[in-house]
Amino acid sequence: MTTLINTLFRDHPATVDETYFGHMRFALGFAFWLGVAAMAALVHAIIPALCETTASRILTRLHNRISARH
């Protein structure tokens, strides 16, 4: 049972030197900003004059955060 728990919840976070909850926090924050970027892209699709660079700026920032971790 311990091996299954480690495999599901601990092994991957350990590869980036995080605890389960630290990894959860990072992933939830990442998911939040992806959602914001998606909404900005949707607004831009409907009204091109709005949110012209919002989604790309968010994605660049997220890419930089991910790149800095590895």
Side-chain angles (χ1 to χ4, degrees):
M1 187 63 157
T2 302
T3 303
L4 179 60
I5 290 171
N6 285 339
T7 300
L8 293 175
F9 299 105
R10 296 179 183 151
D11 289 351
H12 173 67
T15 66
V16 289
D17 294 325
E18 292 179 340
T19 65
Y20 170 78
F21 289 108
H23 194 70
M24 178 191 289
R25 180 175 175 259
F26 183 88
L28 287 173
F30 206 88
F32 170 80
W33 285 110
L34 284 173
V36 171
M39 290 299 109
L42 179 63
V43 167
H44 179 69
I46 296 168
I47 307 170
L50 298 178
C51 303
E52 292 182 46
T53 61
T54 305
S56 60
R57 280 185 292 115
I58 291 170
L59 293 177
T60 298
R61 188 173 61 214
L62 290 174
H63 172 72
N64 291 339
R65 283 182 67 194
I66 278 286
S67 295
R69 295 178 69 178
H70 296 105

